[in-house]
Amino acid sequence: MKPLVRLSLACSLALLSTQAVSAQSFPSDDPVIRAIWEEGVERSQVYELGQVMMDSIGPRLTGSPAMAGANDWALAKYAEWGIEAYKEQYGTWRGWERGITHIDLVSPRVRSLEGMAAAWSPATDGPVEAEIVILADAGGPDAFQAWLPEAQDKFVLISRPEASCRPRENLEQFSRPETRARMTEERERAVAAWREREENTGIGRRVLPEALDAAGAAGVIRSQWSEGWGVNKIFGTGNERAPLLDLSCEAYGLLYRLAENGQGPVLRVDARARFLGEAPVFNAFAVIPGSAEPEEYVILGGHYDSWDGSDGALDNGTGAVAIMEAMRILKHAAPNPRRTIIGALWNGEEQGLNGSRAFVEDHPEILERTHTVFNIDHGNGPVTFIPMQGFAAAGGRFGDWLAQIPSELADLVTLEIPGMPESGGTDHASFLCAGVPAFSFHVGPGRSAMNIADNRWDTSTYTWHTNRDSFDKIIYEDLRDDAVMTAMFAYLASEDPEPMPRDRRAMPDGSAWPECRPPTRSSGSR
């Protein structure tokens, strides 16, 4: 960043801090609440933490050296702030380090293409040049097996191409009604035809790349368009030999049309990566010991791992930053809480909540005495919606806490009372199934207004697991406020005279409280 840009941003944040301090209203005389606000607003470190985490460390794929380095950096920061911290191994995972990926069309014309290797993709042995074929439109599994030898030493396209890479709202805004009708009908037919093509392979979509890998393909190519400008979902692969490449919507469509029309597309790919064997994987923890009830706990948790198509900024670098900043604020403003406060950075969430599920399985003695778990995995704030997860008395407790939080933050929040316990999605679910009061923050208008994962920042389309989940998408005023509110919730929960009641709501007919699932502790046992 140029010094002038950094200075401008710093001045802007300072002005915002001044405005926020003069605007806030404190509904109570609690000096700690005031100290949390002052430390978190006037001396916020969320920008500095986010810049290092997202730009310097980068994405934190489970099992990667970057994830290991991220844990070490977090522990060093906690030590710098005078906070006890440690990491705890819960298993192993497929160790892998990403290298460069160059994907070039070399015939019938030359063009470098936008794309990258999937996580855990094998490397090429130097640049590989090969023809492109489309996944066979076979009549059934037997016919597909008969076709498979034709995939040997070819790059195989396995995704349905999009007729247009314009987002739907763009077409709805600018196209004529008859154009929209035609394109909608054509897309519906194409979706149905491609689903039939996939079913006729007799192989599940998720393992199809591995079947082509085993058949000797030079590489497998897909596009998981996220239905927005320039965004693709980037996930992983179990391929052992052939690289799996994710191409942009536009680049994939180009290759597909060339192959479909018999125009002889040839691709040159240079994909580099290192497999590192089964690598140890850890959760990282910070602890502020309780002064009166040290063996009762308030846990601030969020996953630290990410997919590596971009920087893992909103999913879930912002959550990790908010937890670290909240612990820093608490160490300054409330260094002697009544209960012990734990800041947990979970690993392996993207592979099935494995880090938090392992913690739940390994530490029943902590779970028995956990007052409340707060989970942060919502991208950009401010927090506006908190479901009570089926705990009958939770709404009253949250109401008491919110009544002590400045109205600039508290008035934004809607509680869903009593709510229903969620069985997955993010790490609070690991605790809910065990009956521990655990609550996840959200930023949308609520469950009834739209998909609970959606919000005004178009997270589901533009950043969630995409190649655009980068540092620049973070709104730092919101992240600052998230950290402040999280610190206030943690402090107020730590000071409660009584633990959070665990009484559950009466479940509707046909519904049951979620059952706990065991963690997957190694990639070999997936």
Side-chain angles (χ1 to χ4, degrees):
M1 177 181 288
K2 294 181 179 179
L4 182 60
V5 177
R6 174 177 283 278
L7 178 61
S8 175
L9 179 57
C11 291
S12 298
L13 288 175
L15 177 60
L16 285 166
S17 298
T18 302
Q19 292 172 339
V21 170
S22 62
Q24 95 288 356
S25 56
F26 293 105
S28 77
D29 294 328
D30 189 333
V32 176
I33 292 293
R34 292 173 180 267
I36 289 173
W37 182 279
E38 180 180 339
E39 181 66 23
V41 172
E42 293 190 3
R43 291 178 287 279
S44 172
Q45 293 189 23
V46 295
Y47 180 90
E48 290 80 1
L49 292 171
Q51 191 277 322
V52 173
M53 188 183 298
M54 266 54 84
D55 284 348
S56 185
I57 296 171
R60 301 159 303 281
L61 185 72
T62 301
S64 68
M67 182 69 245
N71 275 333
D72 292 342
W73 171 76
L75 298 189
K77 291 303 293 184
Y78 284 133
E80 179 184 318
W81 299 330
I83 300 174
E84 174 190 344
Y86 63 96
K87 60 184 181 181
E88 180 176 271
Q89 184 176 349
Y90 67 87
T92 64
W93 207 256
R94 195 181 192 192
W96 183 80
E97 185 173 32
R98 176 181 292 281
I100 63 168
T101 306
H102 290 306
I103 307 169
D104 300 307
L105 177 68
V106 295
S107 181
R109 61 187 177 97
V110 174
R111 177 179 171 180
S112 292
L113 303 178
E114 182 182 1
M116 64 192 309
W120 301 297
S121 174
T124 58
D125 186 12
V128 172
E129 194 168 303
E131 297 176 1
I132 296 170
V133 296
I134 298 171
L135 181 71
D137 188 8
D142 290 342
F144 180 75
Q145 290 297 321
W147 171 83
L148 264 181
E150 296 184 32
Q152 186 169 359
D153 298 327
K154 307 287 198 313
F155 288 109
V156 184
L157 304 178
I158 65 167
S159 298
R160 176 184 59 82
E162 296 288 344
S164 173
C165 300
R166 292 180 179 272
R168 184 175 303 176
E169 59 269 22
N170 181 262
L171 290 169
E172 290 175 349
Q173 181 177 1
F174 295 112
S175 65
R176 290 180 290 180
E178 58 269 29
T179 300
R180 289 198 301 275
R182 173 185 62 78
M183 295 184 73
T184 298
E185 181 181 352
E186 289 177 353
R187 191 174 196 273
E188 290 173 352
R189 288 203 306 267
V191 168
W194 195 265
R195 183 181 303 116
E196 182 178 5
R197 182 185 298 230
E198 289 178 329
E199 291 172 351
N200 283 338
T201 66
I203 301 169
R205 176 189 294 183
R206 295 185 65 178
V207 296
L208 179 59
E210 296 172 31
L212 292 165
D213 179 24
V220 182
I221 302 175
R222 68 186 178 194
S223 181
Q224 300 178 116
W225 186 46
S226 194
E227 301 188 7
W229 295 111
V231 283
N232 271 48
K233 306 295 187 190
I234 307 293
F235 294 110
T237 180
N239 281 15
E240 298 289 344
R241 185 195 54 80
L244 176 59
L245 308 174
D246 276 289
L247 290 190
S248 70
C249 180
E250 294 83 358
Y252 186 87
L254 167 63
L255 297 186
Y256 193 97
R257 292 188 299 273
L258 290 171
E260 184 179 41
N261 289 288
Q263 292 164 355
V266 176
L267 209 60
R268 179 185 295 135
V269 173
D270 186 3
R272 303 181 191 179
R274 289 195 305 149
F275 282 106
L276 305 172
E278 282 286 308
V281 286
F282 301 84
N283 296 316
F285 301 96
V287 180
I288 301 176
S291 58
E293 301 288 350
E295 293 185 358
E296 292 187 8
Y297 305 93
V298 174
I299 299 176
L300 315 180
H303 73 92
Y304 201 12
D305 65 302
S306 72
W307 289 107
D308 75 335
S310 186
D311 303 331
L314 271 61
D315 189 17
N316 182 39
T318 47
V321 167
I323 290 163
M324 292 180 68
E325 173 72 350
M327 295 298 287
R328 185 194 69 81
I329 294 168
L330 288 165
K331 180 64 176 178
H332 173 86
N336 299 297
R338 174 176 176 156
R339 295 180 177 86
T340 295
I341 299 175
I342 298 175
L345 300 175
W346 309 118
N347 198 346
E349 189 267 1
E350 298 292 3
Q351 289 73 52
L353 318 186
N354 291 321
S356 58
R357 282 177 170 158
F359 179 85
V360 167
E361 188 172 86
D362 294 344
H363 293 286
E365 78 288 356
I366 293 179
L367 264 60
E368 291 171 4
R369 300 179 66 86
T370 294
H371 176 290
T372 309
V373 178
F374 300 106
N375 185 69
I376 309 174
D377 185 11
H378 59 265
N380 275 325
V383 175
T384 59
F385 180 61
I386 308 176
M388 297 294 96
Q389 302 294 342
F391 289 101
R397 195 63 64 92
F398 269 87
D400 291 343
W401 295 335
L402 287 168
Q404 301 175 69
I405 291 174
S407 59
E408 286 75 14
L409 300 180
D411 288 354
L412 299 174
V413 177
T414 297
L415 304 180
E416 182 183 55
I417 304 172
M420 289 286 287
E422 294 166 346
S423 60
T426 187
D427 291 292
H428 70 299
S430 300
F431 295 85
L432 283 174
C433 63
V436 178
F439 308 94
S440 197
F441 299 154
H442 297 277
V443 293
R447 200 181 302 274
S448 60
M450 59 167 52
N451 185 316
I452 195 171
D454 290 336
N455 63 72
R456 67 182 185 278
W457 297 111
D458 291 332
T459 294
S460 296
T461 299
Y462 281 100
T463 56
W464 182 70
H465 298 167
T466 75
N467 58 333
R468 299 289 185 254
D469 186 13
S470 50
F471 171 83
D472 58 286
K473 308 305 188 303
I474 300 172
I475 306 300
Y476 277 91
E477 300 93 320
D478 290 348
L479 182 53
R480 175 202 63 196
D481 291 351
D482 281 355
V484 169
M485 177 177 273
T486 300
M488 289 181 179
F489 272 134
Y491 160 69
L492 292 167
S494 75
E495 301 305 303
D496 273 345
E498 299 294 332
M500 172 76 77
R502 298 191 175 193
D503 301 332
R504 304 177 185 182
R505 64 164 294 167
M507 298 294 284
D509 290 343
S511 299
W513 199 268
E515 295 184 2
C516 288
R517 304 176 191 174
T520 303
R521 293 185 183 264
S522 73
S523 54
S525 59
R526 286 176 298 169

